[in-house]
Amino acid sequence: MNQTADVIIIGGGIVGASIAWHLTQSGCTNVLVLERETSQGKGSTGKSMGGVRAQFSTPVNIQMSLYSIDFYRQYDERMDYPSGYRPQGYLFVATAEKHMNYLRANYERQVAMGLKTVRLVSMSEIVEMVPQMRADDILGGTFCSTDGFVDPYSVMSGYTLRAVDRGVRLLRNTEVTGILRDAQGIAGVRTADGEIASRVVVNAAGAWAAAIARMAGVDLPVEPLRRMLVPTEPFSELSQRLPMVIDMSTGFHFRPEGLGILMAWNDPEETPGFKTSFDHAFVEKILTRAVDRVPCLENVEVNPKRAWAGLYEMTPDHHPVLGQAPDVPGFFLANGFSGHGVMHSPATGRILADLILHGKTDLVDAGVLSLDRYRTGNLIEETAVL
Ligand SMILES: Cc1cc2nc3c(=O)[nH]c(=O)nc-3n(C[C@H](O)[C@H](O)[C@H](O)COP(=O)(O)OP(=O)(O)OC[C@H]3O[C@@H](n4cnc5c(N)ncnc54)[C@H](O)[C@@H]3O)c2cc1C
């Protein structure tokens, strides 16, 4: 083997890049990031909606968001690079009592965990924030002012540039085709260009993570699921200052993007698989939901050629799998973000760096996110998935 590294990271998306940077923060710089594409961001990172929020239902997700959003607040100054963080908020809108009860319970949990910027909002406050919304059936909602959006590609680039400044090596066009093991555990990786030795290998391969895990003999329950986004042409009837707005009656959500808006809706009929082509029939499906809640969207123009599809990396309980694989010393997992990998990339980087270098972290109870939970049955269901 010609090359060696203290840590090899498979996957140069936002998660791999954050782990690399966080490792350098703790003094570990002999790190190699392997990316099979000729440029970074061609996985889910470059397809993301860029939403960041702390409005989750489980303590561990809220904790990860508290670290991450604070990190994004300071990102530009710390990294000397733009994150594009815009704290315009997330507004959850409920039209059913069961959704309102759900939001109230989440709100109480979020406040108990230390989130200071979330509040319950009445129907009239919602109308004040988004006057264009049909409000006859709205009961209320929640709004968190530090939630918002980032530019995922820029965040990934900033982590990478600063990690490389400190000595991290990024090899593009380098596909990992095998993982080497010996009696001690992980021994390195195999690529088309040869073998590279390392006692620590991190799986940060996004929607492709299960295949990487299999190379190490690990069964990882991460499945790809297509998500489609539809940007509109410039549209002056909605303010560019709007938050991410979520209509809980249908799951339709949207946020300002450029001079128009970016619309999302998770089609319940979507089935798992590596499908990345945009289905033109989706435009009508999403516009039906959009116009129902925001009638002026009837006037919006959509060019389906500008719409796109990407992959969520789903786990059965919609939480990531973080930490060392139970039976393979040196094989670390940072996978299965279930649509939250951009917003949780800062916390993930910190947690993985802590676990790799010190075997523990004080950011979250890492045991809760271990792969072992699928064997023991201690699942932690997140229901606030968009
Ligand atoms: C439409 C859409 C909207 C989304 N919206 C949001 C949102 O609003 N907020 C949010 O937080 N998240 C959102 N997500 C999810 C988010 O984009 C992902 O969770 C996140 O990008 C995962 O980052 P990653 O680095 O783990 O994966 P990726 O960005 O997919 O990176 C993995 C990398 O691994 C590489 N790779 C794979 N196999 C190999 C191999 N064998 N050898 C070498 N390299 C390999 C791939 O080429 C890829 O570059 C969205 C996703 C989609 C698709």
Side-chain angles (χ1 to χ4, degrees), residues 10-16 34-37 41-45 47-52 90 174-176 204-208 212 215 227-229 244 308 310-313 334 337 339-344:
I10 305 172
I14 198 165
V15 169
L34 303 179
E35 169 54 54
R36 71 176 165 195
E37 301 288 345
K42 289 193 170 170
S44 303
T45 299
K47 309 283 170 57
S48 170
M49 198 173 189
V52 296
Y90 262 58
T174 305
E175 179 165 7
V176 171
W208 300 270
I212 296 290
M215 294 176 192
R227 289 288 192 241
M228 292 184 269
L229 297 180
M244 179 86 81
W308 69 89
L311 298 170
Y312 270 20
E313 352 69 322
F337 294 91
H340 310 132
V342 166
M343 64 182 89
H344 283 165

Side-chain angles (χ1 to χ4, degrees), residues 221-285:
V222 172
E223 270 188 339
L225 186 66
R226 178 169 65 171
R227 289 288 192 241
M228 292 184 269
L229 297 180
V230 179
T232 71
E233 298 301 296
F235 188 64
S236 58
E237 293 182 45
L238 290 172
S239 161
Q240 291 307 308
R241 302 298 312 153
L242 284 183
M244 179 86 81
V245 181
I246 303 104
D247 175 0
M248 295 182 76
S249 67
T250 60
F252 168 69
H253 50 291
F254 66 96
R255 70 163 175 85
E257 166 76 12
L259 295 176
I261 62 165
L262 185 58
M263 302 188 290
W265 173 67
N266 297 332
D267 189 340
E269 287 169 12
E270 189 61 79
T271 52
F274 287 99
K275 292 175 268 179
T276 49
S277 60
F278 181 77
D279 173 8
H280 284 214
F282 185 74
V283 174
E284 193 177 329
K285 285 189 187 178

Side-chain angles (χ1 to χ4, degrees), residues 117-173:
T117 44
V118 64
R119 64 179 208 270
L120 290 162
V121 286
S122 65
M123 188 265 266
S124 52
E125 282 173 281
I126 292 173
V127 173
E128 221 168 283
M129 278 190 244
V130 195
Q132 297 83 353
M133 209 146 47
R134 179 176 63 79
D136 54 339
D137 57 350
I138 291 177
L139 298 177
T142 52
F143 177 74
C144 177
S145 60
T146 43
D147 290 351
F149 344 114
V150 295
D151 177 339
Y153 192 90
S154 190
V155 170
M156 175 193 70
S157 303
Y159 285 138
T160 307
L161 284 168
R162 296 302 159 249
V164 168
D165 285 348
R166 291 171 173 173
V168 170
R169 289 164 292 155
L170 166 67
L171 296 185
R172 301 181 198 92
N173 210 5

